[in-house]
């Protein structure tokens, strides 16, 4: 049973992928053949997904039959109980409003787009973490106490202090529309008094990661190309910090997008 840091890392890596989570949930009702698993979760990289789950001691694979291990069953049971607790009470939260946009600045990565700074009142503080499930590509960052959202090229960061930043915005009209949608989504949850349970997030493909990489094929990460690096990111064999080019100012927005996407691998 996983217990030391390296084993826990294997489990976290195994369960960080939507396909592998789907396989685990599919096995709850009983043993399945690999063909049945392939039909339910897809054949793409199935052997790889099963190998990672097996390495993490979450499943057992014998003669073409896949089953949850005892640890795997206990893990899912504990996760279900934890997710139930995440249906947090929002009854004390007050409806929010978006104050007038304070700044509209050119984006570093694309001078034809803008970076917006606005303000949300009252500040939501730690309640933002509870609201993460509302957004298919939302991720709460403990480090900066902020909810980071992605929709297309637009990256929105809502801080616990009330500050809201948006990058890659076409114009002020688009900014106002996006901010109004954000306000409405949050206020609907507050009106219900309970945040929804976590849901499956959007699947990330290598090409989407590649889109935000420098695409210079410089080889500094140790890979032959940026696309190869994207594939290694998907498989958990490489980390984002290996791409040193992303630390350059011109790739600042790209790095923000990749950090959000990497949360769903």
């Amino acid at each position: 049973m996983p217990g030391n840091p390296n084993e826990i890392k294997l489990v976290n890596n195994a369960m960080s992928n939507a396909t592998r989570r789907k396989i685990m949930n599919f096995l709850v009702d009983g043993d399945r053949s690999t063909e049945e698993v392939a039909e339910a979760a897809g054949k793409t990289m199935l052997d790889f997904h099963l190998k990672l789950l097996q390495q993490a001691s979450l499943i057992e694979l014998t003669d073409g039959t896949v089953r949850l291990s005892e640890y795997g069953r206990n893990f899912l049971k504990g996760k279900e109980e934890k997710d139930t607790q995440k249906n947090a009470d929002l009854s004390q939260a007050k409806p929010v409003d978006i104050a007038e946009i304070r700044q509209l600045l050119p984006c570093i990565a694309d001078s034809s787009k803008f970076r917006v700074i606005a303000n949300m009142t009252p500040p939501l503080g730690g309640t933002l973490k509870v609201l993460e499930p509302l957004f298919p590509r939302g991720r709460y960052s403990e480090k900066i106490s902020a909810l980071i959202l992605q929709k297309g090229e637009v990256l929105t960061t809502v801080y616990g202090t009330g500050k809201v930043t948006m990058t890659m915005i076409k114009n002020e009209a688009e900014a106002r529309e996006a901010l109004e949608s954000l306000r409405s989504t949050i206020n609907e949850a507050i009106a219900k008094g309970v945040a929804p349970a976590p849901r499956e997030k959007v699947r990330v493909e290598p090409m989407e990661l590649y889109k935000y990489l420098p695409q210079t094929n410089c080889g500094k990460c140790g890979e032959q190309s940026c696309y190869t690096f994207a594939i290694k990111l998907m498989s958990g064999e490489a980390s984002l910090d290996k791409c040193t080019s992303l630390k350059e100012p011109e790739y600042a927005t790209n790095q923000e997008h990749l950090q959000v996407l990497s949360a769903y691998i």
Side-chain angles (χ1 to χ4, degrees), residues 71-201:
Y71 174 74
R73 288 191 178 281
N74 290 334
F75 178 87
L76 286 182
K77 183 178 179 181
K79 186 177 185 300
E80 183 179 348
E81 291 172 353
K82 184 177 179 181
D83 287 346
T84 300
Q85 294 172 1
K86 287 187 178 180
N87 283 333
D89 182 9
L90 292 177
S91 60
Q92 301 303 311
K94 297 180 180 180
V96 299
D97 198 5
I98 304 292
E100 187 174 354
I101 294 173
R102 295 188 285 114
Q103 292 186 42
L104 194 65
L105 308 169
C107 267
I108 297 174
D110 185 344
S111 59
S112 68
K113 304 288 179 65
F114 294 93
R115 178 179 178 85
V116 173
I117 300 177
N119 194 54
M120 178 180 289
T121 56
L124 288 170
T127 303
L128 287 171
K129 185 174 183 178
V130 177
L131 296 174
E132 181 188 72
L134 291 172
F135 306 94
R137 279 194 174 157
R139 178 177 65 87
Y140 183 78
S141 170
E142 297 279 3
K143 185 176 181 180
I144 61 174
S145 301
L147 181 59
I148 304 170
L149 316 172
Q150 183 188 32
K151 187 176 182 180
E153 288 189 330
V154 178
L155 196 68
T156 303
T157 305
V158 185
Y159 294 88
T161 59
K163 179 182 177 182
V164 181
T165 65
M166 306 176 76
T167 61
M168 301 297 282
I169 288 289
K170 294 177 183 177
N171 49 49
E172 186 170 345
E174 183 184 49
R176 291 190 181 281
E177 182 179 347
L179 289 169
E180 175 56 29
S181 175
L182 174 65
R183 186 190 71 83
S184 297
T185 300
I186 291 175
N187 283 344
E188 284 176 13
I190 290 175
K192 292 177 181 177
V194 178
R199 61 186 179 186
E200 204 66 55
K201 294 183 172 68

Side-chain angles (χ1 to χ4, degrees), residues 41-62:
K43 297 180 180 179
T44 305
M45 297 178 69
L46 180 62
D47 289 343
F48 173 76
H49 292 311
L50 292 176
K51 180 181 178 181
L52 286 187
L53 289 170
Q54 191 175 28
Q55 287 177 340
S57 300
L58 291 165
I59 66 168
E60 296 172 355
L61 182 57
T62 309

